[in-house]
Amino acid sequence: MQASAFSICSIVNFQQFVKVWSAGGRPPFLLFFPQNRFLFLRAYVILKNCTTHYFMQKRKGKTTTMNANDIWLIAGLGNPEAKYDGTRHNAGFAALDSLAGKWGISVSKTKFQGLWGQGEVDGHKVVLLKPLTYMNLSGDSIAPLAGFFKIPADHVIVLCDDITQAPGKLRIRPSGSAGGHNGLKSIIARLGGENFPRIRIGVGAKPRPDYDLADWVLGKFPPEDAKAMADRYPDLEAAAKLIMDGKLGLAQSKYNG
């Protein structure tokens, strides 16, 4: 009986069966042999199980499809010692930690003079990096890692602080000069050009012109500024995803400011 049931399965056009089953109908071959209902009900059950597996695999394939050449590096800039945690200059580190937590990527591997980890985000291969070179030598970590994974410069997204923007404001750019930021200067020098996207995170301007810049960027955020930063992390995440989807212009129009 089992063999006969499988024989019946073999003569049924499977693609036609899939169309009928997916439309909620009853496969027509069950109507052809009413005198052998047990046999054909058995075949019906077997084919039902086959199509369930078929659709599950098809659905699974859609959610896991990924271009093997589509790989991105997102680097958050900062200084490595604990005493710099919560400072304005470590806004990039804090933003990267937020992305890592949201995406479930452990940034704990030690190589390339930094802490890094990799995962998949919406079909993109993603490497997250926190350079441990101190801010002014950030490129010494980013360039070797990008070279190892063969990541082109336009697939390197840099997260860093921006003293020209109010706390929590975002400025997304596809390329450009360092604008006085020593971390960006190092990256431009090591990557050999300015053609990499960056998300600059506002940390606020110096309170007065004669205030020492180093003291300002190495100072810690007051609670209200820290909250303003954290409130923008969902927007920063959405912007990073749009950039990886090739929609940097849309990210700018939606999240700049």
Side-chain angles (χ1 to χ4, degrees), residues 18 78-79 151 194 252:
V18 168
N79 290 309
I151 302 173
E194 303 174 351
Q252 288 179 300

Side-chain angles (χ1 to χ4, degrees), residues 56-189:
M56 287 180 66
Q57 291 300 314
K58 191 173 183 181
R59 189 178 299 114
K60 182 179 179 182
K62 285 184 178 179
T63 59
T64 58
T65 298
M66 181 170 61
N67 182 348
N69 297 320
D70 182 25
I71 182 168
W72 291 78
L73 166 59
I74 302 180
L77 306 191
N79 290 309
E81 295 181 60
K83 66 181 181 180
Y84 296 113
D85 292 347
T87 64
R88 296 177 179 87
H89 226 18
N90 275 36
F93 271 14
L96 192 91
D97 286 341
S98 176
L99 292 181
K102 184 71 173 180
W103 294 342
I105 298 176
S106 175
V107 183
S108 57
K109 298 180 182 180
T110 55
K111 197 176 180 181
F112 310 108
Q113 299 187 71
L115 291 174
W116 65 281
Q118 58 186 321
E120 180 186 339
V121 179
D122 292 352
H124 304 286
K125 288 183 179 179
V126 177
V127 180
L128 301 182
L129 171 67
K130 295 169 71 173
L132 300 181
T133 55
Y134 290 89
M135 180 66 77
N136 294 0
L137 298 175
S138 297
D140 291 351
S141 174
I142 291 172
L145 188 148
F148 179 83
F149 285 102
K150 297 180 172 58
I151 302 173
D154 61 358
H155 277 214
V156 176
I157 303 173
V158 175
L159 314 177
C160 65
D161 58 296
D162 188 344
I163 62 169
T164 70
Q165 303 290 314
K169 297 291 185 181
L170 301 180
R171 185 164 65 147
I172 302 161
R173 301 184 66 191
S175 60
S177 68
H181 194 286
N182 288 331
L184 291 177
K185 286 180 183 177
S186 173
I187 297 167
I188 290 170

Side-chain angles (χ1 to χ4, degrees), residues 243-254:
I243 293 172
M244 292 190 289
D245 286 340
K247 300 176 181 178
L248 188 144
L250 180 58
Q252 288 179 300
S253 64
K254 290 187 70 172

